[in-house]
Amino acid sequence: MPFPHLLHGGDYNPEQWIRTPEVWDEDFRLMKLAGCNAISLGIFAWAMLEPEEGRFELGWMDTIFDKAEENGVQVILATPGGARPAWMPLKYPEVLRVDQYGRRQKWGGRHNHCFTSPVYREKCQIINAKLAERYGQRPNLILWHVNNEYSGECHCDLCQDAFRAFLRGRYHDDLDQLNHAWWSTFWSHTISDWSQIEPPSKIGETQVHGHTLDWKRFITHQTIDCFRSESEPLRRITPHVPITTNLMMGGFTDVDYYKLADACDVVSWDSYPSYHDRSDDWLGPLGAVWTSFIHSQRRAMKDKPFLLMESAPAMQNYKPVCKLKRPGLHAVEALQAVGHGSDSVLYFQWRKSRGGVEKFHGAVVDHYASEHVRTFREVAELGKALAKLDGVVGTNAQPEVAFIYDYENRWALNEAAGPINGKKDKDYDGVVREHYRPFWSNGIGVDVISQDHDFANYKLIVAPMLYMIRPGVGERLERFVTGGGTLVTTFFSGVVDESDLCFLNGFPGPLRKLMGVRAEETDTLYDDESVAIVSSRKNGAGLSGKYAAAQWCDLIHAEGAKVLASYGGEFYKGWPALTVNAHGRGRAYYIASRNDARFHDDFYDHLVRQLGLSRALGVTLPEGVTAVVRGGYVFVLGFNRADVKVNLSARAFRDVLSGKRVSGKVVLPRYSAMVLEPVAKTQARPPTPRRAGSRANRGRRPATSPAR
Ligand code: GLA
Ligand code: ZN
């Protein structure tokens, strides 16, 4: 996008205020005050754009475009497919979804179209073409925002037929291949005609894992197909305008977002962390650590900056207790996105709705529509800060570390009955987070990738619970290690293939030779149980003394790997708990159990030093603080409820936000951030911005980048 500043603004729904257009003028006055330069327009405006089938009313949108242009505000124009006007389903019921019980849904809600329906697709194309024809040449149109947060599934006849066609393609029209992949002889589930296949349903089949996995793959496939169909008129009429669709918050994993991202020109997503719940703001399931992780995934998806398309400038109204955002946190959260690769800070929404389910959702402009309120002031403050950061726009990162976090793997893990079930399920996200946290605390940026991603550019790949290994991935990991890379994987890895069929001849399946271990059995523990892990003397992995393992314990045999720690209890006392295998020029670590935080700190801190991985500030940061480098700036982000001291090491910086020079030990007040620009001892040196694009240009260790 040819825009030289960070985008600041967000979802703008002027159609809600069409009866009082003076509000629109006030909006643009306030946008200026808040330092907002972008709006996402028309996301749920279909009923106002096409009040009757084929009758279009775009006058009000013309006015908004004019006002935006007069005020220097960029427009991200949405296509309105996220919610259909009432006339459509009443005339064409096929646009409505059918649920897994076979019930056609009624009109209402949103995000509930059948993504196969030819009528829905056609109606989307008509309105999208209208928008593209009318606004495609507007100078302030910078991006298409297609639909909204694609999600869900439909079981109508059209979708069922499309599912069968998808399967015919996948299995080369050969039912025998399908029956093998689904292991359908179990419980007499052999399919003898394609017409017998139905989607998973609670009143039908949910336990044939190959079937469930293929259904999930189909949902991704069909979602992308629908997205492409909606995008078709935009690509045809406005080939110069890039296209995105906003991905949902980090906890949403029903669509394989790596694949959806491939179909977009720009990745954008909606981040709604859960701050101020009972746990620390940085640690929880939707805390700051996880948010950094997902930002890193969004950036790595296209190896270029992404957009933060939605975030809450104040309270988000769907949490169990909707705490107000504590002062300062909003800026930290926004700068966290920018530091991790976002070229925008956009909100849901600009002005608070007067009615409807989101009337209490935080917005930049409150019901008391004044600039003299805390939220507005904080947004305006942030607007000033973002205006100082033109230097980061378009810059990328080149992490030395990658995490494999794979949707199909997650689906397969969570489907499996055993070896642990219950409320936490397999807790893939929790395990991944535990392994990622030491990198966050060390200020080490990561790429978050699927197992299909190129591995060549990393020094270290961490692949927790790599349960499913698709064809070729074992070999590619082997090549990565042979070439000098370091691989870390854990318990319950290399168990099934892409159809969820267990590998025969020993786990971790295709990784067995590379890891130099064989997992014979996997024990699981109750929440209140643990087993000691005893580090070997001279383990060379930074471990000392004992640690505790919980929930998962693989019982492994070393087959060439060196044992670095062993179990200290249970009937498997003395069995290996951590191993390393030298392979080619690299090494492969197998962590056999789910270990405590101290284990992860010791193990990864040592690995970081051993591999010479570059840390944003060259130090381990206090709890609740991370640092990330982008475009030569160091973003120091504090998510603590109390002030902490941060050691900036011996280097001198200028804090771009405060303008002050800082060095040595500084106090980072509660919920606050610094954006540090390195300065030479005698004179200030501006950072060298690096643009995204060629890998060589990815901003790796620029002249001004911080020391290891
Ligand atoms: C989602 C949607 C928005 C809005 C917000 C509320 O991200 O895309 O329309 O509902 O949630 O947090
Ligand atoms: Zn359908």
Side-chain angles (χ1 to χ4, degrees):
M1 281 177 314
F3 191 66
H5 312 292
L6 291 169
L7 297 172
H8 188 215
D11 280 27
Y12 182 43
N13 302 304
E15 69 276 15
Q16 292 181 21
W17 304 92
I18 204 156
R19 288 186 180 79
T20 50
E22 61 279 9
V23 166
W24 298 349
D25 290 321
E26 179 63 0
D27 281 333
F28 284 96
R29 184 187 75 85
L30 289 169
M31 279 180 210
K32 205 158 265 171
L33 285 182
C36 284
N37 55 21
I39 51 176
S40 337
L41 183 64
I43 297 170
F44 295 111
W46 202 337
M48 299 303 278
L49 294 168
E50 191 181 358
E52 279 172 44
E53 185 176 10
R55 183 167 69 78
F56 298 93
E57 278 187 13
L58 306 186
W60 64 270
M61 195 174 255
D62 296 349
T63 308
I64 299 298
F65 254 101
D66 291 343
K67 287 187 191 301
E69 199 177 325
E70 280 157 27
N71 288 283
V73 170
Q74 309 301 303
V75 178
I76 297 170
L77 185 55
T79 67
R84 285 149 288 104
W87 55 258
M88 197 191 298
L90 296 180
K91 183 160 174 200
Y92 309 104
E94 71 162 59
V95 303
L96 296 169
R97 280 186 190 165
V98 171
D99 71 8
Q100 59 173 307
Y101 306 104
R103 297 176 303 203
R104 175 82 62 188
Q105 303 298 286
K106 294 191 177 183
W107 177 68
R110 60 169 177 173
H111 301 159
N112 50 10
H113 54 276
C114 164
F115 37 48
T116 306
S117 156
V119 173
Y120 172 74
R121 289 180 178 207
E122 189 202 343
K123 294 296 166 200
C124 283
Q125 289 198 344
I126 293 171
I127 182 82
N128 295 0
K130 275 268 174 255
L131 294 171
E133 276 153 11
R134 183 96 152 204
Y135 304 111
Q137 299 309 320
R138 287 276 185 162
N140 55 340
L141 171 65
I142 51 167
L143 181 70
W144 287 111
H145 170 306
V146 171
N147 213 301
N148 193 66
E149 294 194 337
Y150 283 108
S151 57
E153 57 185 58
C154 174
H155 294 237
C156 77
D157 291 346
L158 294 166
C159 286
Q160 298 207 24
D161 283 346
F163 179 42
R164 290 179 199 114
F166 170 83
L167 293 172
R168 277 175 180 263
R170 184 171 173 84
Y171 296 106
H172 313 103
D173 245 333
D174 181 356
L175 272 180
D176 198 44
Q177 285 185 32
L178 176 139
N179 278 310
H180 175 70
W182 291 6
W183 207 248
S184 60
T185 40
F186 182 77
W187 287 355
S188 219
H189 279 29
T190 305
I191 304 282
S192 56
D193 191 284
W194 294 97
S195 65
Q196 294 161 2
I197 298 171
E198 294 189 329
S201 158
K202 285 196 178 133
I203 51 170
E205 187 59 80
T206 57
Q207 289 170 322
V208 176
H209 290 160
H211 169 237
T212 315
L213 260 177
D214 280 345
W215 172 250
K216 287 177 179 291
R217 288 183 177 122
F218 165 74
I219 301 292
T220 291
H221 166 89
Q222 204 67 351
T223 299
I224 294 172
D225 202 53
C226 189
F227 167 71
R228 286 192 201 279
S229 157
E230 287 178 73
S231 305
E232 188 279 326
L234 314 177
R235 295 236 179 262
R236 182 165 39 80
I237 303 166
T238 58
H240 59 290
V241 183
I243 298 180
T244 190
T245 182
N246 51 335
L247 311 182
M248 263 206 221
M249 56 196 281
F252 177 80
T253 52
D254 289 356
V255 171
D256 187 333
Y257 274 165
Y258 296 110
K259 296 202 166 96
L260 183 53
D262 283 346
C264 296
D265 301 322
V266 178
V267 166
S268 65
W269 80 289
D270 304 341
S271 175
Y272 292 100
S274 268
Y275 291 130
H276 310 321
D277 62 14
R278 298 258 155 191
S279 64
D280 288 325
D281 287 316
W282 53 290
L283 260 186
L286 278 176
V289 170
W290 192 245
T291 302
S292 288
F293 188 79
I294 301 296
H295 282 317
S296 307
Q297 181 203 42
R298 302 320 197 210
R299 187 191 42 68
M301 280 174 162
K302 294 197 90 68
D303 192 19
K304 67 177 191 187
F306 62 91
L307 297 180
L308 177 64
M309 187 59 85
E310 289 181 23
S311 59
M315 154 187 136
Q316 210 266 10
N317 69 321
Y318 294 119
K319 311 281 180 194
V321 174
C322 307
K323 288 241 173 203
L324 295 180
K325 255 189 208 174
R326 272 33 195 169
L329 181 63
H330 173 60
V332 185
E333 189 185 327
L335 292 166
Q336 179 185 26
V338 174
H340 286 79
S342 177
D343 272 357
S344 69
V345 175
L346 300 168
Y347 307 115
F348 178 85
Q349 61 179 331
W350 165 256
R351 182 182 281 270
K352 220 178 229 186
S353 304
R354 189 163 179 203
V357 64
E358 290 177 351
K359 63 180 176 295
F360 296 131
H361 193 292
V364 181
V365 180
D366 209 333
H367 295 137
Y368 174 62
S370 159
E371 64 262 45
H372 306 294
V373 293
R374 182 177 73 98
T375 296
F376 191 94
R377 275 197 300 269
E378 288 201 32
V379 169
E381 258 325 285
L382 179 72
K384 284 189 202 137
L386 297 179
K388 296 177 187 165
L389 294 174
D390 287 354
V392 303
V393 177
T395 62
N396 200 0
Q398 189 180 23
E400 299 167 309
V401 180
F403 267 72
I404 296 182
Y405 176 73
D406 190 278
Y407 291 97
E408 291 194 355
N409 182 57
R410 192 181 189 282
W411 297 339
L413 260 173
N414 283 343
E415 283 302 314
I420 196 164
N421 305 306
K423 67 178 182 341
K424 273 205 186 156
D425 223 60
K426 311 294 182 288
D427 203 11
Y428 181 47
D429 292 1
V431 172
V432 169
R433 200 165 54 243
E434 287 163 11
H435 284 257
Y436 169 63
R437 188 192 44 77
F439 295 90
W440 192 86
S441 299
N442 273 300
I444 295 175
V446 306
D447 272 355
V448 176
I449 60 174
S450 84
Q451 50 184 280
D452 306 319
H453 196 281
D454 186 5
F455 300 147
N457 290 305
Y458 306 109
K459 285 187 178 171
L460 170 65
I461 293 179
V462 185
M465 295 180 95
L466 195 61
Y467 169 71
M468 172 196 280
I469 298 190
R470 292 195 287 276
V473 175
E475 293 80 351
R476 287 174 45 235
L477 284 172
E478 214 168 298
R479 272 203 297 283
F480 165 73
V481 177
T482 308
T486 301
L487 172 69
V488 178
T489 191
T490 71
F491 54 90
F492 217 47
S493 288
V495 181
V496 299
D497 70 8
E498 59 174 347
S499 299
D500 212 10
L501 296 178
C502 293
F503 290 115
L504 305 175
N505 306 319
F507 304 132
L511 299 184
R512 184 174 159 194
K513 190 171 127 232
L514 172 60
M515 308 313 298
V517 301
R518 180 171 63 83
E520 184 172 323
E521 291 181 287
T522 299
D523 193 23
T524 46
L525 310 177
Y526 291 109
D527 278 357
D528 58 353
E529 293 178 322
S530 69
V531 179
I533 302 292
V534 186
S535 47
S536 315
R537 231 165 269 197
K538 292 199 183 149
N539 56 76
L543 304 185
S544 64
K546 285 189 182 174
Y547 303 88
Q551 275 190 342
W552 292 88
C553 299
D554 265 6
L555 277 52
I556 60 172
H557 301 278
E559 294 179 333
K562 188 173 160 203
V563 178
L564 307 179
S566 317
Y567 290 110
E570 266 301 343
F571 70 93
Y572 33 91
K573 184 172 176 180
W575 284 53
L578 171 71
T579 59
V580 65
N581 197 35
H583 184 92
R585 292 194 287 122
R587 273 169 305 164
Y589 290 90
Y590 195 91
I591 301 176
S593 48
R594 184 172 184 177
N595 297 336
D596 56 17
R598 200 172 62 81
F599 174 92
H600 293 118
D601 283 336
D602 288 355
F603 176 75
Y604 285 114
D605 284 358
H606 183 265
L607 208 53
V608 164
R609 281 196 300 278
Q610 201 172 48
L611 298 177
L613 301 179
S614 135
R615 298 187 288 180
L617 285 169
V619 294
T620 307
L621 297 149
E623 285 200 339
V625 178
T626 190
V628 63
V629 183
R630 184 175 179 205
Y633 298 94
V634 186
F635 290 70
V636 184
L637 306 157
F639 294 88
N640 284 305
R641 291 170 197 175
D643 300 359
V644 284
K645 276 208 172 127
V646 177
N647 186 353
L648 302 179
S649 57
R651 315 200 52 221
F653 296 96
R654 192 179 71 90
D655 180 2
V656 179
L657 305 181
S658 67
K660 291 192 185 130
R661 270 181 85 118
V662 286
S663 59
K665 283 199 173 145
V666 296
V667 173
L668 188 66
R670 65 182 246 134
Y671 301 129
S672 69
M674 296 183 284
V675 180
L676 304 177
E677 178 184 7
V679 290
K681 284 268 159 2
T682 45
Q683 88 202 71
R685 233 197 310 165
T688 323
R690 306 283 164 126
R691 304 289 152 197
S694 72
R695 281 199 82 84
N697 221 8
R698 287 178 67 190
R700 183 176 204 176
R701 310 207 64 214
T704 49
S705 91
R708 279 162 194 244

